[in-house]
Amino acid sequence: MSAAGLEKSLTLAIETSCDDTSVAVLEGGARLRSHLIAAQDVHQLYGGVVPELASRAHLELLPPMVERALADAGVRPADLTGIAVTNAPGLVGSLVVGVAFAKAYAAALSLPLIGVNHIEAHLHSASLEHGDSPWPAVALVVSGGHTELVLVRAFGDYHWLGATLDDAAGEAYDKVAKRLGLGFPGGPILDRLAAEGRADAFEFPRPMLDRPGFDLSFSGLKTAVANVLRPHGEPPYADSLVRDVAASFQAAVVGTLVAKCLRAIDHTGARALNLGGGVACNRALRAALAEACAAPRGALREPVALRIPSPRLCADNAAMIAWVGARRLARGERSGDELDAAASLEASGITSF
Ligand code: KG4
Ligand code: ZN
């Protein structure tokens, strides 16, 4: 990586992988000059992301947002040194909008373009506020679409430790909230309600803790919640029942995630734990990890550095795309005209086991 190239870089980044449109301008690979995130509230009407509506909204939002991000940053298009765009994984119709826009913009300004992997960006999103991570690190990406546990040996050097075998953690939050008759997205609502409920009211399973390895599973937990609710019929339920289910469900999710992170840290000798994804906003998860990482782990080990982004950088955002993109561009990497969108993590080519 050319340090001088990175230091002088002014990267425009575009993120449209799901339902948030986001644009950022990052200077020197580290200093955010501007950062806009437009959440598409329309999906709340349908209780989940509607892909067609998401692509259309990206199409309408992107041009004015790019203009605004440059104005906020006090940057003219001619000052930019490169463009980074999320090209995988995600909703393909949403990704295509960002990729097509970035290609056209880069061509019009004769700027280098780089496609960035959305999950790789989440692995590093904590670095925007916490600085470069000590290596090796374990990264936990927990969102509505992904639950990935990754050993990061250095920038660009990843070893997949485990992933969910079925639902993502955020998806479990959203489905349980729906079953309880609550709104979308369910994570923030359950997070709030759980704080007022009894975590020991129901004994929900801690999936996969009894098995070796780092994989996770959340669909059994969702079924266990449905079994508890069955005798009570359909929502609306008594407030106390909703709060107790929320608290007990959350305790199971958090307990599982914390245990798997600690197992991964002990197994790899990681010096840091980096979090990313919307579920990393969860207050109980943040508190439990803070406690776990502060506790001594083995005789000669220094404490594990826990690095959790602020909520805005946990969720989907272009700042993390810029962080990765700026480094790849500084290494001389380029995406040509063939840059394409890929929907799945496997097809995105980043995983190694
Ligand atoms: O990363 P994100 O904004 O979008 C993707 O899925 O890529 O994550 C959204 C997910 C949703 O499932 C939402 O319910 C969950 O993150 N989430 C939370 C919290 N805030 C958002 N889950 C638990 N507790 C929260 N406070
Ligand atoms: Zn994401």
Side-chain angles (χ1 to χ4, degrees):
M1 189 176 329
S2 151
L6 185 62
E7 186 46 43
K8 291 204 179 97
S9 67
L10 200 51
T11 311
L12 173 74
I14 292 169
E15 150 70 38
T16 63
S17 68
C18 190
D19 61 334
D20 294 320
T21 318
S22 181
V23 180
V25 176
L26 187 70
E27 183 183 1
R31 295 174 294 281
L32 263 183
R33 292 275 294 255
S34 64
H35 189 204
L36 302 175
I37 304 175
Q40 303 175 2
D41 291 341
V42 63
H43 305 285
Q44 288 177 7
L45 295 174
Y46 301 93
V49 177
V50 184
E52 291 79 4
L53 294 180
S55 335
R56 189 179 313 170
H58 288 311
L59 207 55
E60 285 166 9
L61 286 165
L62 255 190
M65 282 178 71
V66 167
E67 205 170 307
R68 173 72 188 276
L70 291 173
D72 283 0
V75 162
R76 291 165 305 166
D79 300 331
L80 294 170
T81 59
I83 308 224
V85 62
T86 311
N87 73 306
L91 298 173
V92 84
S94 289
L95 289 165
V96 159
V97 174
V99 169
F101 184 95
K103 273 187 185 174
Y105 207 75
L109 295 168
S110 300
L111 283 171
L113 171 71
I114 189 79
V116 172
N117 188 295
H118 180 86
I119 298 299
E120 180 181 16
H122 273 306
L123 300 179
H124 297 289
S125 59
S127 296
L128 283 153
E129 292 163 323
H130 296 261
D132 289 343
S133 178
W135 311 124
V138 164
L140 173 70
V141 178
V142 264
S143 70
H146 293 276
T147 306
E148 317 283 335
L149 206 48
V150 182
L151 169 63
V152 183
R153 298 193 191 98
F155 176 67
D157 185 354
Y158 312 119
H159 174 74
W160 245 253
L161 296 166
T164 181
L165 301 177
D166 38 60
D167 293 348
E171 195 178 353
Y173 266 97
D174 295 339
K175 286 179 176 169
V176 165
K178 196 169 187 175
R179 183 66 187 77
L180 285 166
L182 306 169
F184 173 85
I189 303 171
L190 289 179
D191 187 355
R192 205 176 54 242
L193 291 169
E196 299 159 7
R198 293 172 302 149
D200 59 356
F202 303 101
E203 200 167 322
F204 290 133
R206 263 63 169 166
M208 308 294 284
L209 280 195
D210 51 346
R211 293 197 218 160
F214 306 99
D215 283 334
L216 296 128
S217 159
F218 293 105
S219 73
L221 188 50
K222 184 186 64 191
T223 311
V225 169
N227 290 341
V228 160
L229 292 173
R230 192 160 300 118
H232 300 273
E234 294 301 308
Y237 301 118
D239 286 352
S240 60
L241 176 64
V242 172
R243 287 196 293 260
D244 285 350
V245 167
S248 304
F249 161 77
Q250 178 155 285
V253 174
V254 169
T256 307
L257 290 173
V258 171
K260 290 281 171 164
C261 284
L262 293 181
R263 194 182 282 181
I265 289 165
D266 288 343
H267 180 77
T268 59
R271 298 169 60 209
L273 175 62
N274 289 303
L275 254 67
V279 182
C281 297
N282 187 269
R283 290 175 299 169
L285 178 63
R286 294 168 89 101
L289 285 174
E291 194 178 321
C293 288
R297 308 202 59 73
L300 295 172
R301 296 273 302 278
E302 49 186 294
V304 175
L306 176 63
R307 296 154 42 93
I308 310 183
S310 55
R312 193 171 159 79
L313 295 174
C314 284
D316 290 348
N317 68 86
M320 65 181 187
I321 305 302
W323 194 94
V324 170
R327 279 158 182 76
R328 294 214 173 281
L329 288 166
R331 286 176 166 193
E333 293 178 36
R334 304 285 183 262
S335 298
D337 240 11
E338 72 289 349
L339 180 67
D340 213 351
S344 75
L345 183 61
E346 291 69 29
S348 75
I350 193 182
T351 49
S352 73
F353 290 90

